[in-house]
Structure formats: C-alpha cells, structure tokens
Amino acid sequence: MQFLIRQSGLADLYDKVVAGTRISEEEALRLFESKDLNTVGLIADAARKRKVGDRASYILNRYINYSNYCILSCQFCSFARKKRDADGFQLSIEEIVAKAREALNVGITELHIVGGLHPSLPFSYYLDMLKALRTLDPKLRLKCFTAIEILHLAWLARKSVPDTLRELKAAGLDSLTGGGAEIFRKEIRSAIAKGKESAEEYLDVHRKWHRLGGRSTCTMLYGHIESLADRVDHLSRLRALQDESKGFVGFVPLPYQPENNDIPVSHPPTGFDTLRTIAISRIFLDNFDHITAYWVGMGLKLAQVALSYGADDLHGTILEEHIFHMAGAKSPQLQTEAEMVKVIKEAGRIPVQRDTFYQPIAVHDKSSDAEPAPTSSRSAVLEDNLATA
C-alpha cells in the first residue's frame, strides 16, 4: 500500500492526513482532479479510521413529507407541485401522527419531516404537528425542516429566525435537516434553484440554530452543472461554519438525480464520481465526525463500497422516501435493519445502530452472523407497511 501511495503523486496529502493536518482548497481540488481513485480512497479511509475506527452506523427512521405543494419552482426539483396539479398532496396532522405511530411500532427512533413551502398552511400547523408527535414517545427524535422552510416559517410567524427556532424547539423540534444546501456558488445556485435562499441565508439559519444549542446535518447536491471548484467552495464554507459553531453532526453528499426536472445534464454522477466525492469530503471536512453514504441516491451496493472510501454511515431504514424517487431514483423505498447490518459486516465494519446525533444505541457483533431478535420482525412489518402506504 505504501508503495502505491508513493507512486501516486498524492503521498504528500496522505502524509498530511495521517498526521492530522488540514488540507487546503487547492489540495482538495487536486484530489478531485486526480484519476487515481484508489489512492484517494486510501487517504479517505485513513481519515475515517482516525475519526471513528471500524464502526459504521445506521439509524431506524421514517420519512414523512407533510405536503409537496410549494410556492417555489426550483429547476432541479421533481417533488414540488402547485395547487392546480392533480398529484399534489397535503397531510393532516392526524394522518402524520398515524404514520408516526405505525413506525414507532417497528422500533424507529427518528422522524425525518420536510415538505414544500406551502402557500396557505399557517404557522400553527407546524407547531401543532410537533406537539402532537412529541406526545407519542418522549424518546422519539423529531428531525424536521430545511433552512428554506425555517425562513418560510419565520415569515409566516412574522418573527425573527432565532425566535421562530426557539418556538419550534419548545414545541418539540430536536434537529434541523441538512437539505436544501444544493451548491453554494451564486451563479450555479441561481441556475438550478432560482428564488431559493442564498448560501449565506442557508448557513445563517444553521448558525442561529447551533447558537441555540441545536444540532443539524448538512448536504451538497453534486453532479449537475457545477464545476469541481464549485464543490470545493461548497465544502470550504461548511468547514468554516463548523469551525465557528461546531453544530453539524454529519455531512451527507447527495448525487443529483437527472430525471423529471428542467436541468439537462449530460453526465450525471457515476460510481467513480460518487466515491471520489465521498472520499474527498471525508478528507477535507476534518472537523466533521461523520460522513454519510446516502443509499437512496446511490443504491445500497455502492453505499457499501463507500464504507471503504471515507463514509462511516449508511443513513437509515427511511420507509417511504418521495423526493429522490420522484426525481428518478431506482433504489427501494426502504431498507430493513437486517440488510443494513449485513452490508456493514460484509464491508468489514462493526454495525452500530445510532440516534439522530450519531450517538450509539446498539453495537452489533462484527464477527457474528446472528441478528438481534427484533430485526426480522421489524423487517416484515416495514415491508407490510410499505405495501399499504
């Protein structure tokens, strides 16, 4: 291995990472431009091992989209609908609670809730939703809303962003989601998501949440019309905020889904591009503890490979994901816990069930093929629920 690294032309970066020294934006771009994916992966794997050892995590969670009606018309989005569209939907609080109650019966620990910027729902709807879900189980974590949703809710409430966040937190909000970051470079953002919040606004919402003691994840949508330099710029802004606030618990790179939207893309993300983006994210984001391989966007098989390219988390069981699938994702709408544990073990990692904040709930035996007793029953119920969802 050492011989291959020395022959790659990237030995100086390997030495820096092993020594715990931060790489620069110029060095990150150099990694992106390298065709030596295996060496980039070796560097990322060293960074991963330095952070988390041989553990790889997953979470038992459920996605709920309360509505896909949205006042915006982002060019890349296949999820949003207008009130005139026949396939638009809006859930009542009772319907959301029913979905959550079903999911609790199979052992989930987190609800991941986002939606469009609804043209008419009042601020009280969101507060009442959180309060109703909080009464179901005090241990259930509510991970809700993107930064643009928070700005929309602040407008609805006619309050400042910090006051809006305080009120949502008091109602039961545990964590913000990281969605909506897209690409921060102004020119690219305007081309794919005109009318959406600026990069500065996205970062400031998370900054304000972190100042209140909250935690969140963050994302990057890659593989559309951005350049490699744009990706580095995006990662650099996230790293800078993390230096300041230390409030991000994980980073989730999201491969662009090219179908059913208004952005023509000649070369959507390949397996090579996905693995190098995850690897370089792990190397560059030295102040992040966790990098997630989002199996919904890349498929579970490639996500499993990504565990050797810097990723240490596979996200969750999810159940009923809409946004990526409406954009053309061909992955299943759920993964069972048994399958998550299996692929982690096959990759030579120790499976860890985690919570919303990436803290361990249960650690599996790496060498044993036996699964926990609840796993098979959870799998069956999840599959039955999906069939009737």
Side-chain angles (χ1 to χ4, degrees):
M1 184 182 77
Q2 291 293 332
F3 174 78
L4 293 175
I5 292 171
R6 299 303 161 194
Q7 294 297 311
S8 69
L10 300 173
D12 58 323
L13 300 185
Y14 176 82
D15 291 340
K16 289 185 77 169
V17 170
V18 169
T21 303
R22 172 170 286 187
I23 70 167
S24 67
E25 291 183 38
E26 292 75 17
E27 289 167 330
L29 185 58
R30 186 175 142 205
L31 288 171
F32 266 116
E33 291 172 343
S34 172
K35 299 300 181 184
D36 191 346
L37 179 61
N38 286 334
T39 298
V40 173
L42 286 171
I43 298 171
D45 200 49
R48 184 238 359 126
K49 195 172 184 68
R50 183 184 180 91
K51 280 285 186 183
V52 299
D54 283 335
R55 292 187 172 192
S57 58
Y58 65 92
I59 187 170
L60 301 181
N61 64 347
R62 194 209 202 281
Y63 275 26
I64 297 178
N65 300 119
Y66 54 85
S67 177
N68 64 345
Y69 292 126
C70 188
I71 61 176
L72 297 180
S73 299
C74 297
Q75 295 90 319
F76 73 91
C77 182
S78 307
F79 174 72
R81 296 293 185 270
K82 303 303 181 187
K83 278 296 187 83
R84 61 181 176 271
D85 295 324
D87 56 346
F89 69 86
Q90 172 186 322
L91 300 181
S92 68
I93 293 175
E94 291 74 19
E95 289 172 317
I96 293 170
V97 168
K99 287 177 178 286
R101 188 176 285 114
E102 282 182 353
L104 279 168
N105 288 336
V106 296
I108 68 146
T109 65
E110 174 191 279
L111 290 176
H112 184 289
I113 302 176
V114 297
L117 306 190
H118 198 284
S120 57
L121 284 175
F123 183 53
S124 59
Y125 168 90
Y126 304 91
L127 294 177
D128 291 344
M129 175 180 68
L130 291 171
K131 290 174 183 177
L133 292 172
R134 175 56 64 219
T135 64
L136 294 178
D137 187 336
K139 299 188 293 298
L140 177 65
R141 295 296 186 185
L142 304 180
K143 184 177 182 180
C144 312
F145 312 129
T146 62
I148 189 64
E149 287 175 272
I150 294 298
L151 292 172
H152 180 66
L153 296 184
W155 178 80
L156 287 177
R158 293 179 171 81
K159 295 182 179 183
S160 68
V161 169
D163 284 346
T164 301
L165 289 170
R166 287 189 189 95
E167 196 159 353
L168 292 169
K169 188 175 183 180
L173 180 64
D174 290 302
S175 174
L176 292 186
T177 74
E182 322 313 357
I183 283 288
F184 288 150
R185 185 83 72 185
K186 182 178 180 181
E187 296 77 10
I188 304 301
R189 197 174 187 83
S190 296
I192 68 170
K194 188 174 182 180
K196 205 167 189 180
E197 87 278 30
S198 67
E200 291 74 22
E201 288 173 321
Y202 174 95
L203 292 167
D204 197 50
V205 167
H206 285 270
R207 177 183 291 108
K208 287 180 167 62
W209 177 243
H210 297 167
R211 286 176 178 173
L212 293 174
R215 296 293 177 263
S216 60
T217 52
C218 54
T219 61
M220 176 177 71
L221 184 68
Y222 67 90
H224 39 89
I225 62 172
E226 88 287 1
S227 68
L228 297 177
D230 293 333
R231 296 186 196 182
V232 174
D233 171 74
H234 188 101
L235 294 172
S236 183
R237 297 196 207 193
L238 291 175
R239 189 169 76 172
L241 179 54
Q242 183 72 335
D243 278 342
E244 174 191 336
S245 71
K246 300 177 177 59
F248 290 123
V249 294
F251 173 65
V252 189
L254 301 173
Y256 177 70
Q257 305 297 310
E259 298 179 21
N260 305 326
N261 59 65
D262 296 330
I263 302 177
V265 174
S266 302
H267 304 287
T270 61
F272 178 97
D273 193 18
T274 292
L275 291 177
R276 74 169 171 178
T277 300
I278 288 173
I280 296 164
S281 298
R282 174 63 288 163
I283 296 164
F284 187 79
L285 297 176
D286 58 342
N287 53 2
F288 279 69
D289 287 336
H290 304 286
I291 305 294
T292 291
Y294 189 57
W295 65 261
V296 173
M298 68 182 74
L300 189 59
K301 291 180 180 179
L302 189 59
Q304 180 189 41
V305 177
L307 294 177
S308 296
Y309 284 79
D312 68 286
D313 179 73
L314 293 180
H315 208 278
T317 49
I318 290 181
L319 181 57
E320 201 182 354
E321 194 280 338
H322 286 295
I323 296 174
F324 267 66
H325 285 89
M326 290 174 75
K330 301 299 190 293
S331 57
Q333 283 198 323
L334 68 84
Q335 291 293 345
T336 64
E337 181 183 16
E339 188 65 18
M340 303 284 268
V341 170
K342 177 185 174 183
V343 299
I344 290 172
K345 286 183 178 181
E346 284 183 350
R349 303 285 183 262
I350 301 168
V352 177
Q353 181 193 347
R354 66 166 174 89
D355 67 9
T356 297
F357 307 111
Y358 290 76
Q359 295 302 305
I361 293 175
V363 180
H364 297 258
D365 184 349
K366 176 181 175 181
S367 60
S368 173
D369 291 331
E371 307 299 343
T375 298
S376 58
S377 58
R378 284 174 180 169
S379 302
V381 176
L382 282 170
E383 289 164 354
D384 289 344
N385 284 349
L386 182 60
T388 59

